[in-house]
Amino acid sequence: MTDGQDRTIAEITQEARDRCLSIGAGAVEALESLCAELEKNPTLGRRARSAVGSMKLYTTRVEGTTTRPALTVTYVYDAPPPAPGLVRVALVSPAHFSGGETGF
């Protein structure tokens, strides 16, 4: 990196933050940790199809803990040159497993 010009910035949308607050049990903190990782590697997740052809949409999973369910996180990575890249976490939901009930 040179002079911070290549730095990627990760942010959490208000909707995603609100969803984490409703999940509770450290979901916001888990998402903030993921954002720190996404700033280092913005294509960390699995590429998903997008209705907008040029939109880089990814999904990833944050493993659960004894107090928090696993989370499915969807984010958009936008890196128009020469500006730094921007990762916008847009959607967070508890991962559902057959037979498991998350209450959401």
Side-chain angles (χ1 to χ4, degrees):
M1 285 195 227
T2 57
D3 300 328
Q5 292 179 354
D6 296 326
R7 186 168 189 269
T8 298
I9 300 166
E11 67 179 25
I12 304 168
T13 64
Q14 188 60 50
E15 292 83 3
R17 185 171 297 278
D18 290 346
R19 181 67 170 176
C20 283
L21 290 171
S22 71
I23 294 168
V28 171
E29 293 80 3
L31 199 56
E32 288 172 345
S33 293
L34 175 63
C35 283
E37 290 299 316
L38 291 173
E39 287 180 347
K40 298 174 198 170
N41 183 5
T43 59
L44 183 67
R46 180 178 52 90
R47 186 88 186 255
R49 289 189 183 254
S50 168
V52 179
S54 62
M55 182 182 289
K56 295 178 182 173
L57 187 65
Y58 292 86
T59 185
T60 193
R61 176 186 163 112
V62 176
E63 291 302 319
T65 65
T66 56
T67 59
R68 178 188 41 76
L71 303 173
T72 301
V73 180
T74 303
Y75 65 94
V76 176
Y77 174 49
D78 186 23
L86 176 65
V87 172
R88 185 169 291 119
V89 175
L91 180 64
V92 178
S93 62
H96 295 279
F97 300 97
S98 62
E101 187 59 46
T102 62
F104 287 90

